[in-house]
Amino acid sequence: MSRCWLRYVLALLAIAAATHVLVVWAIPRLIMQRVMRTTPADLGHPGATPRVYFPPMTDATQRRIVMPSPDLLYAICVFDVSQHPLRVTANPRLSNYWSVAGYADNSDNFFVVNDRQLAGQPLDLVLVGATGSVPSATLPQGARVLVAPSDKGLLLMRVLVSDYEAEKALLEPARRTLRCEPLP
Amino acid sequence: MNFDRAPSKPPSLPDRRARWRWGHGLLTVGIALGGIALGIGSAWWVLKSPWSAPSVQSGAWQTSTVAGSANADMYTRSRIAVGALLALSREETLYYVADRDDAGQPLRSACSYRIEGTPPPARWWSITAYADDFFLFANDAHRYSLNGGAARLDAQGRFALLSGPQDPNPPAAATPTHWLPTPGDRGLIFTLRLYNPDAALAAAPATLAPPSIRRVGACP
């Protein structure tokens, strides 16, 4: 009888351990999936590329992503490079801090570049999946190839803001230079 | 009417087998459900525990050494996804978080605090107040943070800010201390962000000269 109960207890612990590992592993992937699925494209803005979302300036009404910074203006590009590589360009021409960071579908920050590292040059890169490649004929001149660890993920542009109302005319066009366009 | 009861017969062998199968099935389902509940509960408990991520402490402030990194273990990755999704690696940005004051007491939005320190060695820094759900406090003044560009330094080169439900500055103060409104009565978290921190600090985040967090006045 006691052996029988021991078997039951071991089965309970085995199921608990497997569930525990599965939940911890799945949480970042599920959260990223939700963010990527619910990120709208800013289709309403004239001239905006439909693959990039430009959320309004961060305030207490922004409740999509935890710990938003009220000192940064964001642009979000959700990518899927399973079919085509993605060309990512940005040229905000700002003297203050800005950066573009890449996040894999498990939330890992696999890439970041900031204005100082670019030293005044525009950002120009081609994002490919782990198994993908870019034919040299289609690789834009001067573009850097970057391998994403997952086919899906997102790119996040951060632009430092001191006084949004005063700097709006400068910052809004600057962040809208972020483009994400699939290559053939 | 006949109230005499017929003597009960012991269940037949097939009946006993059927009952045993039912009991065994229920027990199996119970074990499976119990195991799943235990697994989810333990995962949630571990992710909420402060020791679940490799981190260092500086004063009341804590920072993860592997946040945003591909080297993060699955617990750190999960914890960051819940409380600080889309964090950058520490070479780009250091995030220090405080949920207790210098005396070790949990921070509450209903209390007033004074944060004081020297500007940290980074290209740009900010201190932001968040509610315990990791979102900003709604307030009419739209004040959520103090950053290096807006901070006024005193003669000793130190900055100061106040947080609390009411502005603690006297109405006629000539140079009022920067105030972050934290309405309501709930948990409070301060986040200190350092963009492009100095290489020495990025390599050893515990060496930060931590801004002090002291309660001002009594707590309701």
Side-chain angles (χ1 to χ4, degrees):
Chain A
M1 188 66 186
S2 64
R3 253 188 208 174
C4 188
W5 278 108
L6 185 66
R7 272 209 304 269
Y8 289 140
V9 170
L10 287 177
L12 180 105
L13 292 177
I15 292 168
T19 307
H20 175 97
V21 170
L22 185 70
V23 168
V24 174
W25 178 86
I27 279 175
R29 288 159 178 84
L30 291 173
I31 292 176
M32 280 298 285
Q33 222 173 65
R34 188 175 63 87
V35 169
M36 291 190 289
R37 209 180 45 241
T38 57
T39 297
D42 192 357
L43 294 165
H45 195 275
T49 165
R51 292 183 171 273
V52 185
Y53 172 54
F54 302 104
M57 185 60 202
T58 307
D59 62 14
T61 62
Q62 304 291 308
R63 300 184 66 84
R64 294 184 65 247
I65 296 174
V66 291
M67 285 212 182
S69 171
D71 302 292
L72 295 171
L73 198 54
Y74 296 101
I76 302 168
C77 166
V78 176
F79 68 79
D80 180 352
V81 288
S82 58
Q83 301 297 320
H84 299 281
L86 191 77
R87 187 176 184 195
V88 182
T89 56
N91 191 14
R93 295 175 185 275
L94 295 168
S95 55
N96 272 342
Y97 175 89
W98 66 270
S99 66
V100 174
Y103 296 89
D105 63 358
N106 67 350
S107 81
D108 280 353
N109 171 211
F110 67 89
F111 159 80
V112 61
V113 65
N114 63 47
D115 59 315
R116 280 193 177 167
Q117 290 161 335
L118 288 169
Q121 296 299 305
L123 173 69
D124 191 354
L125 58 90
V126 173
L127 196 64
V128 296
T131 54
S133 63
V134 192
S136 53
T138 59
L139 184 65
Q141 201 179 359
R144 173 186 159 195
V145 177
L146 178 68
V147 179
S150 60
D151 284 345
K152 293 182 181 178
L154 66 82
L155 297 164
L156 183 64
M157 184 185 203
R158 293 171 163 91
V159 175
L160 180 61
V161 180
S162 297
D163 180 346
Y164 178 70
E165 288 306 321
E167 298 172 309
K168 199 159 123 180
L170 178 71
L171 299 180
E172 284 296 346
R175 73 163 166 163
R176 282 166 202 278
T177 60
L178 179 65
R179 304 263 164 194
C180 296
E181 291 156 331
L183 282 179
Chain B
M1 289 178 73
N2 183 7
F3 290 98
D4 291 341
R5 300 177 72 178
S8 60
K9 285 200 299 186
S12 63
L13 192 60
D15 281 352
R16 282 208 303 269
R17 277 185 182 157
R19 281 184 197 173
W20 186 86
R21 274 200 297 270
W22 263 101
H24 188 72
L26 280 175
L27 190 62
T28 305
V29 169
I31 285 171
L33 291 177
I36 289 169
L38 194 61
I40 292 172
S42 63
W44 188 248
W45 180 75
V46 167
L47 295 179
K48 287 286 175 190
S49 304
W51 49 263
S52 64
S55 61
V56 295
Q57 189 90 24
S58 180
W61 304 85
Q62 207 174 37
T63 185
S64 166
T65 50
V66 289
S69 157
N71 298 327
D73 60 275
M74 71 172 186
Y75 288 100
T76 302
R77 186 176 289 120
S78 201
R79 193 161 181 257
I80 295 294
V82 170
L85 187 68
L86 307 183
L88 289 162
S89 59
R90 69 172 163 168
E91 289 75 22
E92 184 69 11
T93 306
L94 278 170
Y95 303 89
Y96 292 87
V97 176
D99 60 4
R100 290 173 183 272
D101 62 15
D102 284 0
Q105 294 303 309
L107 299 175
R108 285 174 50 205
S109 66
C111 308
S112 294
Y113 298 95
R114 183 179 177 87
I115 301 181
E116 235 183 287
T118 50
R123 181 178 172 194
W124 180 81
W125 62 271
S126 72
I127 294 176
T128 310
Y130 293 98
D132 53 7
D133 62 357
F134 304 114
F135 289 104
L136 298 166
F137 283 96
N139 67 88
D140 294 339
H142 297 283
R143 283 172 170 229
Y144 309 109
S145 68
L146 172 68
N147 63 54
R152 277 195 308 268
L153 303 183
D154 64 13
Q156 285 76 46
R158 295 172 67 80
F159 70 86
L161 75 89
L162 292 162
S163 77
Q166 303 295 329
D167 187 352
N169 284 295
T175 51
T177 305
H178 191 89
W179 169 54
L180 297 182
T182 57
D185 186 4
R186 57 187 306 174
L188 166 67
I189 298 163
F190 290 117
T191 297
L192 169 63
R193 286 180 170 86
L194 273 62
Y195 278 80
N196 295 162
D198 282 8
L201 183 61
T207 59
L208 173 82
S212 60
I213 307 176
R214 294 199 178 92
R215 206 176 74 194
V216 179
C219 250

